[in-house]
Amino acid sequence: MEGRTEDVAHPPLLDAEDRVTGRTPFVVNEEVSGMLHGKLVRSSAAHAHLVGVDTGAALAHPGVRAVVTGALLVARGGMELEFGPVVRDQPVLAYDAVRYIGEPIALVVASDPFVAEEAASLVEVTYDHLPAVFDVDEATAPGAPVLFRAEPERDPAFVDVTLRADYERNVCNVFSVVRGDASAAISSADHVFEHVFESPAAGAAPLETHVVVADARGDRVTVWTSTQTPHIVRRQLALLFSLPLNRVRVVVSALGGGFGAKAYAAIEPVAAVASRLVGAPVRIHLARDEEFVTSTKHAMRVRLRTAVTNDGLIVARQALARYNAGAYAGISPRKVMFGAYGLNGPYHIANVDIHVEAVCTNTPPAGAYRGFAINQAAWAYEQQMDIIAEALGIDAAEMRRRNLLRDGDTFCTGETLEHLHFHELLDTVTERIGWDPDAKPERDGDLVRAKGISCVIEGTITPSTSTATVRLNGDGSVDVLTSSVEMGQGMRPALASLVARRLGIDPGLVGVSYVDTDLTPYDQQTTASRSMASMGRASELATDDMVEKVRQLAAELLEADPSDVAVVGGHAQVVGVPSRRLSLAEVVGRSRVGNLHGEGTFVTEGGLDPFSGQGVGSAHWHQSLGAAEIEVDIATGKVRILRYAGALFAGDVVDAVGADHQCEGCLVFGVGNALFEELVFDKGQLTNASLADYMVPSLDDMPDAYGFDLATDENRDVHGLGEPALPPVAPAVANALYRATGVRIHSLPISAERVLRGVQAERRSGGAGGGTGGGTGGGGTGSRA
Amino acid sequence: MARLLRPETVSQALRLLADGEVGTKLVAGGTAVMLMMRAGLLFPERLVALEHVADLDYVEVEPDAVRLGALTRLRDLERSVPLASALPTLARAIGFVANHRVRNRATIGGCLSEADYASDPPAVLASLGARVRLRSVRGEREVPVTDFLVGYYETVLEHDELLTEVVIPRPGPRVRTTYLKYVSRSAEDRPCVGVAAYVDADESGRTEEVRVAVGAATANPFMLGDVAQMLGGGPLDAGACRAVGEAYERAIEPIGDVRGSSDYRRKVTGRLVARALETTALSGHGNGAFRL
């Protein structure tokens, strides 16, 4: 029996047992009585006018209850036809034009998902094809096909995003960061380097694909859905049906992965609309090939010009980057801001002139993606740093040491930065990886080994709002009511630890809700590595609010002045008189209040001017470095990552194990991005939309040894760790590859075939490799695309 | 929707095949058939599922040959101690197929009958001179693996025939074998190029027989017939290994796919053939399989 007592005193950490035993309540397992199943009919045209959608054969198929089309929605009226987080440009179902291959045109609703799938193939769509455009530079060139004839309507909720759209050039937003006089600095600089780098579209590939059950019968709309943004989905559905927010209920249990792809509304609108029309709950669960065309990483191309002194000090940076938004804007209008200050990198640069465009093309919509705009930027500027260092004869680590931001430096946004740790983090990773400025590549037959480093700065979404409720129950256990989404990142156990630490109780006594917007208070979104910083802080404030109520009640019960009562170690006690104390459970019980609620609201202020990029870019700055040792087989071009060392500033660490796991997850993600991952399109048609053809890394692709050092400061904010460890991975690997072979890869991924081509070109041009060769990657004054 | 039939003996299965109309498909482990059905590439009217068929799950090591029942799962072959001691390269190579979840279901007979080009076992079996036994209600025949596989996803199986057994001659004690599985992407990917080498050389290093089968680069394992002749019985030194590699690089006409272009595979083939021969003949690492 002692064992049992022990169990009660130390209940297992939230979610641990459910994860291991397969009981985590994933959204994909939600079932609602009487629900029907929907299968989307998708466009096979990249850009076309819809001439006709013949649903006759599908409707006649046994088991089919309805076929919902865009034309039907137009004819019925009473509901909005478009949705979208910043601009409402995306049709619930296409009714006039289709703008990418895979765009939803109709939803077949049946009693059985396989029947719906069969019948979906019977819907006949007639197109009047239009010229299509897939590349960002082509889309912005004069005479390119135009995707939107009229500027789409805005959602005023996203007030922080100022639109500088130019739809005649297919540009849905532009963001500029301008500081000093970059042109003048460049024209008088000792050296100027210019390069073009590219990143392809990629898939987030969550194990659980998008899934929703919608019930829009009567005067309410309820969705059980796999979203990272419950309150944004709630607003989008309220707009669609012209309902007050409290008539829309969004329920989110655990997600089987998100990685950004499940941010913002996707299939919720069409499921809800179908449910309203059919009069039954409707479930949609995307197949894997559909998942790949629902939300992608932005393809991006950047021309980056950097001017330096002979000593390697960066004096100016100009950049023009185009992020491929795909057919609909999604969150791209905000993403350009992250890309713009992101391209500055973690360096002190007095003269900056960076322009970032989000460009609409006839490809699937790009959305949020782990590392939000920063992966693409770091891939470019961190390789260029190595190119410049080599050209000037400066060690790559030393080059960074001379330029990395220090406390008191002014960032490109005009902010004076404090609490910077870049230099100590650089020392950490170079020591961990065994950095030697004079090291030559190690060769063993066809196998060559070398090391590379990279440094990244990343912001979190600012301004930002989170609210939380903390509830003390009659037995002393505590619940956190939150609309932050658990998607495998361990947000729930981490929040429980945070609140337990504040109260001085066992973390096992703290529960954390799943999301139900009828019950859980507002949170902006679960993205941008913000939950532990923003929702964590809101939960602490809510805990403090609750503690204040405990003190008031305990003071009465203990016949003391409230100012003499403290809550310590799960007890309210009179300060200095340890014997006069009550447990939290006794306070609730004896005062007969049933339970006690505390409320917390955390709001960060900031924002940048979209024309100059000046203002407050981020409530705090993520600082992340990586160092990789790789081995390349020059017979095949295949790169293996042997060792990886990451170092980050993490502020106040709440959950050390969870923090390490998030960094590890970033590394897995980064290995895939660096070496394999690319969505391959042929005239807008995705050609590798399966997990057999699209490669995600397996455990065997992970480095043999890796680790992350977290610089901490318990007096600072909690820094979210969902993303920061990711962006340094690919450029660190690319820089190591160059040192091994003299091959510079400008376009992700670092595929074996690209590397072998480079190795053979290098051999023909007589390059010696090992950081001494020129060839494809040589620097120097001037340009090298 | 497909009708599912579950015979319990080989002869029941053969009868179902014999009176099978067009649209009958055999399914063993299901790792290939299910994917193809899911992808809409296969619409069988009748699925003859072999999972309850008895007596085709075995590894028999005889003095001259090793016999594998067609329904033996890859995972069991990979873990079979007798197989590992008789044919270590084959056992190791089978352990490189996909991942253990797939190997727990996939069978050796299914693997060969599917005739997927991007597969490891066919090249190893071809280099070992393996044969397959095909049975039907009409009788049975034995065919070398190299003749059994005739094109992309294409074999000589008649519609009423079932592959029941794989027969692998046991190499003599002097023989050394190697398999190199090269994956160009993730470790769990199918091979981009696989090279199986078989070298029979005497103590002085003079080669009696040298076979090299290149898998995953062409429709079926690619072999040049006259490798030993090319060497003129001479020793397999580094220069000779390179020369054979170059001969393969000149002769092969690889396909291009997501794992590499034709040109890329040609170059990789040349280097890996040389490396496989070096590993087999020179390194002292003979009789193994390696994942690159």
Side-chain angles (χ1 to χ4, degrees), chain B residues 27-48:
Chain B
V27 54
T31 54
V33 169
M34 289 303 146
L35 274 183
M36 285 191 257
M37 288 178 66
R38 188 74 204 121
L41 299 171
L42 201 64
F43 314 90
E45 285 162 30
R46 301 197 319 163
L47 264 183
V48 178

Side-chain angles (χ1 to χ4, degrees), chain B:
Chain B
M1 212 156 270
R3 207 144 49 88
L4 188 62
L5 303 165
R6 293 174 181 275
E8 290 178 0
T9 64
V10 172
S11 47
Q12 279 177 13
L14 295 181
R15 270 200 303 280
L16 286 169
L17 285 178
D19 57 39
E21 56 269 41
V22 184
T24 297
K25 185 77 193 169
L26 284 168
V27 54
T31 54
V33 169
M34 289 303 146
L35 274 183
M36 285 191 257
M37 288 178 66
R38 188 74 204 121
L41 299 171
L42 201 64
F43 314 90
E45 285 162 30
R46 301 197 319 163
L47 264 183
V48 178
L50 300 174
E51 61 182 338
H52 296 316
V53 170
D55 305 330
L56 285 185
D57 176 3
Y58 56 83
V59 175
E60 281 173 13
V61 178
E62 296 170 357
D64 296 332
V66 176
R67 296 174 181 278
L68 310 178
L71 292 180
T72 314
R73 298 192 188 277
L74 299 186
R75 186 73 165 155
D76 292 332
L77 293 173
E78 161 197 359
R79 293 158 69 132
S80 161
V81 173
L83 184 66
S85 106
L87 298 169
T89 301
L90 178 65
R92 286 287 304 276
I94 285 172
F96 291 164
V97 173
N99 54 55
H100 69 269
R101 297 172 294 281
V102 169
R103 295 194 301 278
N104 275 333
R105 294 290 310 170
T107 66
I108 188 67
C111 169
L112 286 171
S113 301
E114 185 202 2
D116 186 345
Y117 71 98
S119 177
D120 300 297
V124 182
L125 291 168
S127 75
L128 290 169
R131 301 183 302 276
V132 288
R133 183 180 299 244
L134 313 180
R135 281 182 61 187
S136 71
V137 291
R138 295 175 288 119
E140 71 172 61
R141 56 177 175 149
E142 219 173 85
V143 184
V145 164
T146 47
D147 294 340
F148 174 75
L149 303 166
V150 292
Y152 286 104
Y153 302 94
E154 207 182 329
T155 68
V156 298
L157 275 170
E158 298 289 341
H159 81 277
D160 62 348
E161 280 182 315
L162 174 68
L163 191 165
T164 56
E165 188 177 73
V166 183
V167 184
I168 308 140
R170 290 188 67 176
R174 297 196 313 203
V175 172
R176 293 287 176 270
T177 57
T178 301
Y179 179 66
L180 301 184
K181 174 178 187 165
Y182 171 57
V183 289
S184 55
R185 307 185 299 173
S186 148
E188 288 187 7
D189 198 7
R190 293 156 184 266
C192 172
V193 173
V195 180
Y198 174 108
V199 176
D200 185 358
D202 67 18
E203 279 172 15
S204 71
R206 291 188 64 81
T207 48
E208 288 278 328
E209 187 164 17
V210 178
R211 303 180 204 145
V212 178
V214 178
T218 50
N220 305 121
F222 176 81
M223 299 178 80
L224 288 179
D226 49 0
V227 177
Q229 209 179 326
M230 200 188 307
L231 300 170
L236 203 46
D237 56 19
C241 293
R242 238 182 352 258
V244 176
E246 284 162 10
Y248 269 79
E249 187 173 333
R250 280 192 301 274
I252 197 166
E253 290 179 22
I255 64 139
D257 64 13
V258 286
R259 290 175 283 275
S261 69
S262 172
D263 184 52
Y264 176 71
R265 276 194 163 95
R266 176 192 299 279
K267 288 173 184 148
V268 167
T269 296
R271 299 300 300 270
L272 294 190
V273 165
R275 195 183 288 179
L277 286 172
E278 282 169 17
T279 306
T280 313
L282 304 175
S283 71
H285 288 307
N287 296 336
F290 305 89
R291 184 155 47 191
L292 307 176

